[in-house]
Amino acid sequence: MINKRISVALLTAALAVGVLVPNAALAKLTISQRINVENGRIRKFEKSGELTKKEADGLRDDMADIDSKIAKSKAKNGGKLSYKDQGKIDESLNKVTLKITKLQLAKQTTSK
């Protein structure tokens, strides 16, 4: 029970540090750059075994959904993203970033 509490506390602390710091850096990237970064993270973590193929495929599906949202938004706005659409895309990317980090950290805490 104590080990479980410690694991949860460590996971929460790691998420807070691991997610908040990269998000500050990611805020300066364009949407296209962020997509490339997240796709790279998915490949890297799948290759290292921190993500299973099923998890990586699910994350790729999430990224494909974001790509389709971008295409639809650009189609309705003459090839550009509105500020509102940019915000929605950023929120979606934030969710995927958090999901990747949670899956990666879950593997790290269970393997130790």
Side-chain angles (χ1 to χ4, degrees):
M1 187 68 159
I2 292 175
N3 285 342
K4 187 174 181 179
R5 285 184 190 162
I6 292 171
S7 294
V8 171
L10 287 174
L11 179 62
T12 304
L15 279 174
V17 171
V19 173
L20 294 177
V21 173
N23 281 345
L26 291 176
K28 297 177 184 175
L29 299 177
T30 65
I31 289 174
S32 306
Q33 291 169 329
R34 285 190 65 194
I35 289 171
N36 290 336
V37 167
E38 296 311 327
N39 284 329
R41 289 180 69 211
I42 293 167
R43 278 191 304 276
K44 175 183 163 191
F45 295 144
E46 182 183 20
K47 187 175 180 180
S48 71
E50 293 180 66
L51 292 175
T52 65
K53 179 167 176 30
K54 184 178 179 180
E55 291 167 338
D57 287 343
L59 291 166
R60 285 187 193 101
D61 289 343
D62 293 343
M63 295 302 290
D65 290 343
I66 292 171
D67 285 335
S68 69
K69 285 180 189 177
I70 291 170
K72 287 177 187 175
S73 297
K74 283 184 174 182
K76 75 177 183 183
N77 289 319
K80 297 191 178 203
L81 286 175
S82 69
Y83 290 119
K84 182 178 178 182
D85 291 333
Q86 285 177 12
K88 288 180 182 179
I89 299 298
D90 277 332
E91 286 178 17
S92 296
L93 281 167
N94 290 344
K95 288 178 184 176
V96 172
T97 299
L98 185 60
K99 196 172 180 182
I100 292 169
T101 304
K102 281 182 179 179
L103 288 169
Q104 177 211 10
L105 290 173
K107 288 285 170 42
Q108 288 178 352
T109 57
T110 57
S111 66
K112 291 184 179 182

